[in-house]
Amino acid sequence: MLALIGGGRVSSYIGREACLKGIYFKCYSSRNNNKYDNINYSSIIQVPSIVLKSSITNCLINWSHTYPRNIKDLKRSIIGFQSIAKMIDKHPKVKFTFVSSTSAERELLDKSIYGSSKRLGETILLESNLTRSQEFKVRIVRPGLIYGLESCPIHQIIKLYKKRIKLNLGREDANFAVTSINDFTEFALNSNSEFWNSNKDVFGFYEKEPYSLNDIHNSSSSYAKTNKLNITLTNRSILYKIMELLGISIDLSLASIDRFPSTDSIVYNYSIGFDKYIKNLCIE
């Protein structure tokens, strides 16, 4: 019923939930750590050769170049998305949805290589709609910062706060959008959801309230009533440069910018909600 192109923690989570719900699921990925009925390819250029089984009705594309840094990486992204587009064109009766990002918003394109990479992917994949029926058109979903995974940066920030370390990534009052992994997965696994049936080609999927690091710190402040060690990371700070030299990759290109999106989001009821998620982390 559901196929997924691309690896990573979000894909692994969706695969696990699909298995728990008894949903037929197959993942095509270059990563070996996705154990849920995974089929590996050694290079993204092999994707056009993928032939989906006739039982596959929906395919989620969760692929992107990891941490693109320059024009060379953008060119690799283009090759990757062109390969995926060729595979899409071979399956005119399968619904495809590409997981993009709110970083791909028009007003942010000159601020983030990652966002530009996602936007290029959107443009390339949407070209397939020129020859596809309305029912099977390619759709683009833009989630906000996805929270709820163990590796979630919000989780890590609150863990540090409990240890009286206040970590600021960029500007504290910069607003951004958030999306629960639970909500995202529920819509991805439901073939009747707007993920697969929206009348729009491009739509957001995030909670309606904007959040900032200030909101997170204020919710967690009771765990550090005394002196705190303040650490601020920006893409110009010395500590950030040292981390880069050590091979630690953190994309802070948008961390000091208000980046709450203008693209309309699907309206939905939250399973938890970001405020409650923060409170739950604080009492763990």
Side-chain angles (χ1 to χ4, degrees), residues 7-22:
R9 295 182 178 91
V10 171
S11 295
S12 293
Y13 186 93
I14 293 173
R16 187 190 72 188
E17 291 300 304
C19 291
L20 290 174
K21 295 177 183 294

Side-chain angles (χ1 to χ4, degrees), residues 176-243:
F176 52 87
V178 297
T179 304
S180 165
I181 185 63
N182 294 332
D183 296 330
F184 187 86
T185 301
E186 180 181 347
F187 271 70
L189 295 180
N190 181 359
S191 60
N192 294 317
S193 76
E194 289 187 69
F195 265 36
W196 308 105
N197 302 287
S198 175
N199 292 325
K200 297 180 179 179
D201 291 349
V202 181
F203 48 88
F205 188 78
Y206 50 85
E207 297 177 18
K208 63 182 180 180
E209 302 85 1
Y211 289 93
S212 68
L213 278 177
N214 271 340
D215 297 322
I216 297 166
H217 290 313
N218 289 338
S219 298
S220 313
S221 60
S222 61
Y223 289 91
K225 293 179 179 178
T226 57
N227 294 332
K228 299 178 292 293
L229 173 62
N230 286 281
I231 299 176
T232 299
L233 276 182
T234 69
N235 54 7
R236 296 183 177 182
S237 64
I238 295 176
L239 180 57
Y240 180 75
K241 300 298 183 184
I242 294 173
M243 292 172 68

Side-chain angles (χ1 to χ4, degrees), residues 1-279:
M1 181 179 180
L2 175 66
L4 194 154
I5 307 294
R9 295 182 178 91
V10 171
S11 295
S12 293
Y13 186 93
I14 293 173
R16 187 190 72 188
E17 291 300 304
C19 291
L20 290 174
K21 295 177 183 294
I23 297 174
Y24 181 82
F25 175 84
K26 190 169 287 292
C27 181
Y28 299 84
S29 171
S30 61
R31 304 187 185 190
N32 295 315
N33 60 350
N34 191 321
K35 59 185 178 182
Y36 302 104
D37 204 4
N38 190 57
I39 296 177
N40 290 115
Y41 52 81
S42 59
S43 171
I44 190 66
I45 61 174
Q46 294 178 344
V47 168
S49 64
I50 292 176
V51 178
L52 300 177
K53 291 185 177 181
S54 58
S55 57
I56 297 294
T57 57
N58 302 65
C59 182
L60 192 68
I61 301 166
N62 187 33
W63 183 88
S64 64
H65 191 292
T66 306
Y67 299 119
R69 294 178 176 275
N70 48 45
I71 297 299
K72 185 176 181 179
D73 289 342
L74 280 179
K75 289 180 178 178
R76 289 174 179 169
S77 291
I78 292 172
I79 293 172
F81 286 118
Q82 288 174 335
S83 297
I84 294 172
K86 290 177 182 177
M87 190 275 292
I88 289 175
D89 292 340
K90 289 171 54 179
H91 298 85
K93 298 299 182 181
V94 175
K95 293 183 178 181
F96 290 90
T97 296
F98 170 52
V99 182
S100 185
S101 168
T102 51
S103 300
E105 292 285 312
R106 184 185 303 276
E107 56 268 25
L108 299 176
L109 290 182
D110 62 338
K111 309 287 195 307
S112 165
I113 296 178
Y114 175 75
S116 298
S117 172
K118 284 288 194 179
R119 188 60 176 258
L120 281 170
E122 293 180 4
T123 302
I124 292 169
L125 299 184
L126 285 174
E127 287 178 357
S128 295
N129 287 345
L130 296 174
T131 57
R132 298 178 74 84
S133 68
Q134 180 70 13
E135 180 182 359
F136 294 100
K137 69 178 181 179
V138 176
R139 293 171 172 84
I140 309 295
V141 57
R142 293 178 181 168
L145 185 154
I146 295 181
Y147 68 87
L149 296 169
E150 184 66 27
S151 58
C152 171
I154 306 303
H155 195 173
Q156 305 306 316
I157 287 173
I158 291 180
K159 278 185 176 179
L160 290 173
Y161 212 96
K162 290 180 179 181
K163 297 177 181 179
R164 297 178 182 174
I165 299 174
K166 183 179 180 181
L167 177 62
N168 294 313
L169 300 175
R171 209 182 78 214
E172 288 183 271
D173 60 348
N175 290 321
F176 52 87
V178 297
T179 304
S180 165
I181 185 63
N182 294 332
D183 296 330
F184 187 86
T185 301
E186 180 181 347
F187 271 70
L189 295 180
N190 181 359
S191 60
N192 294 317
S193 76
E194 289 187 69
F195 265 36
W196 308 105
N197 302 287
S198 175
N199 292 325
K200 297 180 179 179
D201 291 349
V202 181
F203 48 88
F205 188 78
Y206 50 85
E207 297 177 18
K208 63 182 180 180
E209 302 85 1
Y211 289 93
S212 68
L213 278 177
N214 271 340
D215 297 322
I216 297 166
H217 290 313
N218 289 338
S219 298
S220 313
S221 60
S222 61
Y223 289 91
K225 293 179 179 178
T226 57
N227 294 332
K228 299 178 292 293
L229 173 62
N230 286 281
I231 299 176
T232 299
L233 276 182
T234 69
N235 54 7
R236 296 183 177 182
S237 64
I238 295 176
L239 180 57
Y240 180 75
K241 300 298 183 184
I242 294 173
M243 292 172 68
E244 281 191 316
L245 291 174
L246 294 174
I248 301 173
S249 298
I250 301 177
D251 185 2
L252 297 178
S253 55
L254 299 179
S256 296
I257 302 171
D258 281 320
R259 53 198 184 278
F260 192 80
S262 57
T263 300
D264 290 338
S265 173
I266 292 173
V267 178
Y268 61 99
N269 295 320
Y270 316 146
S271 59
I272 300 176
F274 193 64
D275 289 326
K276 188 172 181 180
Y277 171 72
I278 296 293
K279 290 178 183 178

